[in-house]
Amino acid sequence: MLAVVTAGPASAPIDEVRRVTNFATGEIGVRLAEALAAQGFEPHLFRARGATNTELPKGAVLHEFETNDDLTRALEEVAKTRADEVRAVFHAAALSDYSVASVRGPDGPLAGGRQLPCDLPPIQLVLEPAPKVLPRLRGWFPRAWIVGWKYELQGSREDAIDQARRQVGQRRTDATVVNGAAYGAGFGLLEDDQSPRHFANKRELAQFLASRAATFAKSDK
């Protein structure tokens, strides 16, 4: 059984030196890979190079990426060669919601250089929505139990849970993990119409998810 785990912060390049990125340690990917290996999976950890947690659990296969497009290409390759073996997918990476469409200075767009000068007057970044990876996972890995992540800062815990439940239907996942300031301490797990489950920490969450994935894989042979 093969399990795919994505983790860490993707980045969107401004030039060959600068980038726009998110904050994510990548630790949840490590904890998931550990728990999945203990359940008999072959975990493939797709971790962004910007992750601050660089542990590699025993038995895990590491794939590194920087941008959304890097991750997309890597997952497409796994889908082409081993899709039938992938029985669980955990998409915890903090991907870029926007890519840099252009950089503008006072006199118009700046283009053509590998590195923007460091002494420019104020510049503007023009951002455009980046393609989403989560809605494509079902097509790539039709036999997998798929879990997405929802990080919410605004609103109440109930609002965050509603957003997570909505994502399950809209993104064709089997479950969504929700966390962030809106949810509060710990993590919530939403599966279809079931009541939310709460987990106090990453290790507790990872162990449950790995066990749940193993049960799914064994029942769907």
Side-chain angles (χ1 to χ4, degrees):
M1 302 182 296
L2 193 151
V4 167
V5 180
T6 73
S11 61
I14 299 170
D15 57 19
E16 293 187 27
V17 177
R18 304 168 181 88
R19 67 192 69 183
V20 179
T21 189
N22 297 321
F23 175 78
T25 65
E27 182 188 355
I28 188 62
V30 172
R31 303 285 84 86
L32 279 167
E34 289 174 341
L36 288 162
Q39 290 287 344
F41 283 92
E42 176 189 331
H44 283 242
L45 176 57
F46 294 79
R47 183 168 62 198
R49 290 189 178 93
T52 57
N53 188 308
T54 58
E55 298 174 66
L56 181 60
K58 183 178 180 180
V61 179
L62 178 64
H63 309 259
E64 292 187 309
F65 71 94
E66 290 192 5
T67 69
N68 290 20
D69 289 343
D70 292 340
L71 179 60
T72 295
R73 286 190 290 268
L75 293 177
E76 286 178 331
E77 184 61 29
V78 175
K80 289 177 184 176
T81 58
R82 303 187 68 180
D84 286 346
E85 300 172 61
V86 177
R87 311 312 309 279
V89 178
F90 301 94
H91 186 42
L95 296 189
S96 303
D97 293 317
Y98 296 93
S99 60
V100 179
S102 64
V103 183
R104 299 182 63 88
D107 300 320
L110 302 172
R114 299 177 61 186
Q115 179 179 353
L116 293 172
C118 61
D119 56 354
L120 290 172
I123 62 174
Q124 294 179 327
L125 299 182
V126 180
L127 305 180
E128 62 183 6
K132 300 290 187 184
V133 170
L134 186 60
R136 305 177 67 182
L137 294 174
R138 180 64 63 196
W140 290 333
F141 308 113
R143 298 188 65 198
W145 189 62
I146 299 176
V147 180
W149 253 251
K150 191 70 175 168
Y151 184 74
E152 291 292 322
L153 294 177
Q154 301 184 72
S156 65
R157 174 171 286 199
E158 290 71 24
D159 294 331
I161 289 171
D162 286 344
Q163 290 289 335
R165 195 183 299 282
R166 191 173 297 116
Q167 179 173 280
V168 173
Q170 292 175 342
R171 304 304 189 189
R172 301 174 64 201
T173 62
D174 296 292
T176 294
V177 174
V178 59
N179 67 311
Y183 182 81
F187 301 83
L189 178 66
L190 281 296
E191 293 185 75
D192 296 327
D193 295 326
Q194 298 183 25
S195 298
R197 290 185 173 94
H198 175 76
F199 301 91
N201 55 59
K202 295 173 182 177
R203 193 177 299 276
E204 182 181 310
L205 171 67
Q207 289 174 348
F208 178 86
L209 290 175
S211 175
R212 181 74 177 79
T215 300
F216 171 83
K218 292 170 184 175
S219 67
D220 188 41
K221 292 183 177 180

